């Protein structure tokens, strides 16, 4: 016991207590200016950790404050880990934002014919976008290097046009990496084929422009780059390469199909002069595509199947219109319509049914 006391006395021989600790009276706080305390004494007596947390429950001891501070660090690290996990879900995605459509221009490879912007399908798309307050499916754009703040459409020309006409921002994804013309062309073609909303004529014009401007040297290289068959490219080009006079015989070039182009080209190989003579008689008429082809070929019109349409006026069914495969049309009115319906209602219903029959 004595030896332990001697060791303690030896270890603490050089230690001195502060004056306030030796004299209880001196422990009372005395009014003194901050300058009365030497800086060295303040540094020696006031080495403390800042409180890790605020409030009345904050730890008052150094170890307690260190533990609280460590707890805060662990909480922040947990939040950062959760944030990194959420961000990982968007890795590789493109930035998307609403943009002024005036800062976005159509692509030089744009494959939309002007007729596609006056069709009922475009009117329906525009109405949907207006109702939703904007396009839900974003378009894809790339920056124009020579003009900061300007962009070029990769695909989504109809959605961009609808937003432009409505005077509202367009939702767009921005391609941030390098995207050359060939890659842009392939992306545009793939998107349109997957959506199946591009006409054969527009597809053919797109391929023809790419070949004329040497984006792809040959049809074979074009087909291989796009991942389509050589036959598909050949048929599309056949539609686009029809003589302008022949195209004008149709109500819209968007109605010309691969099959129509093949039939017309075969007829022109046999009797080009005869086909062109018939073209002059057909221009300016508004006929269904099958009727146009039949007259260009100087053949009786034929249809793949018969069609039956309801004759409706004012929400009331008045009868049916039947078009046979031969093209013959039969109108059958119900007994009630024949006796009770007004001539105006019958005329309007039959006219609408005939209009629909011509588009089939």
């Amino acid at each position: 016991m004595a030896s332990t006391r001697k060791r303690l006395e030896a270890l603490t021989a050089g230690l001195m207590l502060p004056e306030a600790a030796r004299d209880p009276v001196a422990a009372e706080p005395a009014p003194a200016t901050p300058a009365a305390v030497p800086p060295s004494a303040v540094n020696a007596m006031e080495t403390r950790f800042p409180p890790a947390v605020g409030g009345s429950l904050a730890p008052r001891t150094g170890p307690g404050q260190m533990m609280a501070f460590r707890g805060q660090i662990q909480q922040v690290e947990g939040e950062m880990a959760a944030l990194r996990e959420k961000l990982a879900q968007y890795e590789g995605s493109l930035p998307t934002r609403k943009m002024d459509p005036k800062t976005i221009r159509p692509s030089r490879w744009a494959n939309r014919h002007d007729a596609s912007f006056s069709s009922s399908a475009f009117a329906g798309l525009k109405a949907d976008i207006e109702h939703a307050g904007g396009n839900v499916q974003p378009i894809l754009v790339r920056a124009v290097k020579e003009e900061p703040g300007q962009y070029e459409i990769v695909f989504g020309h109809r959605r961009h046009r609808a937003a432009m006409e409505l005077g509202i921002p367009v939702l767009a994804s921005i391609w941030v990496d390098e995207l050359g013309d060939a890659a842009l062309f392939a992306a545009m073609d793939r998107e349109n084929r997957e959506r199946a909303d591009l006409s054969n004529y527009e597809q053919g014009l797109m391929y023809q422009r790419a070949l004329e401007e040497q984006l792809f040297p040959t049809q074979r290289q074009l087909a291989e780059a796009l991942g389509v068959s050589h036959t598909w490219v050949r048929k599309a080009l056949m539609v686009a390469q029809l003589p302008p006079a022949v195209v004008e015989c149709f109500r819209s070039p968007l109605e010309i199909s691969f099959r129509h182009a093949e039939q017309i080209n075969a007829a022109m190989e046999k009797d080009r002069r005869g086909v062109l003579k018939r073209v002059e008689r057909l221009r300016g008429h508004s006929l269904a595509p099958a009727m146009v082809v039949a007259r260009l070929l100087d053949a009786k019109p034929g249809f793949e199947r018969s069609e039956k349409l309801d004759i409706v006026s004012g929400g009331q069914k008045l009868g049916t219109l039947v078009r046979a495969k031969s093209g013959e049309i039969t109108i059958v009115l119900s007994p009630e319509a024949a006796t009770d319906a007004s001539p105006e209602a019958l005329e309007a219903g039959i006219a609408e049914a005939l209009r629909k029959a011509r588009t089939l």
Side-chain angles (χ1 to χ4, degrees):
M1 186 71 176
S3 60
T4 302
R5 182 179 298 174
K6 289 180 179 180
R7 286 199 299 271
L8 288 174
E9 289 176 353
L11 290 172
T12 59
L15 297 178
M16 295 181 64
L17 293 174
E19 295 293 331
R22 292 203 303 266
D23 188 355
V25 178
E28 295 291 334
T33 61
V37 182
S40 60
V42 173
N43 292 337
M45 298 294 295
E46 298 296 332
T47 304
R48 299 176 182 175
F49 290 101
V53 294
S56 59
L57 299 179
R60 297 183 179 180
T61 64
Q65 292 174 358
M66 280 294 295
M67 292 182 65
F69 183 68
R70 183 179 180 184
Q72 285 184 323
I73 292 295
Q74 290 176 341
Q75 180 180 356
V76 171
E77 289 178 347
E79 292 175 355
M80 290 292 292
L83 182 59
R84 283 193 294 268
E85 185 177 350
K86 288 183 179 180
L87 290 175
Q89 299 175 4
Y90 301 97
E91 185 176 357
S93 62
L94 298 178
T96 301
R97 68 171 185 262
K98 289 191 174 182
M99 305 175 65
D100 183 352
K102 294 180 181 178
T103 65
I104 304 172
R105 67 185 61 171
S107 168
R108 61 180 294 197
W109 309 107
N111 46 22
R112 289 293 178 186
H113 191 271
D114 288 342
S116 66
F117 297 110
S118 59
S119 64
S120 58
F122 176 73
L125 173 66
K126 183 177 174 180
D128 290 341
I129 291 176
E130 183 177 21
H131 179 73
N135 54 305
V136 178
Q137 182 70 26
I139 68 173
L140 181 63
V141 300
R142 69 172 179 178
V144 179
K145 294 181 179 179
E146 301 80 9
E147 302 178 43
Q150 297 295 311
Y151 297 86
E152 179 184 6
I153 300 175
V154 178
F155 54 72
H157 287 83
R158 292 197 309 160
R159 282 164 278 171
H160 171 260
R161 178 73 168 265
M164 179 79 80
E165 293 183 1
L166 292 171
I168 61 176
V170 60
L171 182 65
S173 295
I174 304 172
W175 191 272
V176 294
D177 297 327
E178 183 68 23
L179 185 66
D181 285 346
L184 182 150
F185 185 91
M188 182 188 303
D189 177 75
R190 186 181 305 108
E191 198 264 353
N192 283 318
R193 281 189 287 109
E194 290 176 354
R195 292 171 62 88
D197 63 352
L198 196 68
S199 69
N200 296 155
Y201 183 76
E202 291 170 314
Q203 195 87 62
L205 286 181
M206 179 182 176
Y207 293 165
Q208 186 174 9
R209 187 180 302 117
L211 291 170
E212 288 175 350
E213 299 198 20
Q214 292 295 302
L215 187 61
F216 300 97
T218 65
Q219 292 185 29
R220 177 176 294 276
Q221 291 177 336
L222 169 64
E224 292 174 353
L226 301 182
V228 298
S229 68
H230 304 160
T231 302
W232 172 270
V233 173
R234 179 185 61 79
K235 288 183 177 181
L237 290 171
M238 187 181 296
V239 178
Q241 292 169 358
L242 285 172
V246 173
V247 175
E248 292 174 5
C249 293
F250 292 85
R251 293 171 301 191
S252 168
L254 308 185
E255 295 180 336
I256 307 174
S257 68
F258 290 160
R259 182 180 179 185
H260 297 153
E262 288 178 337
Q263 291 175 328
I264 294 170
N265 273 287
M268 292 185 69
E269 288 179 1
K270 293 180 180 179
D271 184 13
R272 185 180 182 86
R273 179 177 297 181
V275 172
L276 294 179
K277 283 184 178 180
R278 291 188 284 273
V279 163
E280 295 303 320
R281 295 196 297 266
L282 277 176
R283 294 168 75 175
H285 291 73
S286 181
L287 300 175
M291 294 290 291
V292 172
V293 175
R295 294 196 181 186
L296 287 176
L297 273 57
D298 195 23
K300 292 183 179 181
F303 300 90
E304 295 181 358
R305 64 183 186 277
S306 60
E307 300 288 348
K308 183 177 181 181
L309 300 171
D310 289 338
I311 300 174
V312 181
S313 180
Q316 179 183 3
K317 182 179 177 180
L318 305 178
T320 56
L321 181 149
V322 179
R323 188 194 66 187
K325 291 183 179 181
S326 62
E328 184 180 46
I329 291 179
T330 303
I331 295 175
V332 180
L333 299 177
S334 64
E336 295 79 8
T339 56
D340 301 335
S342 66
E344 292 78 11
L346 287 173
E347 182 179 352
I350 293 174
E352 178 63 18
L354 285 172
R355 186 192 68 78
K356 292 181 178 179
R358 288 178 178 177
T359 63
L360 296 175

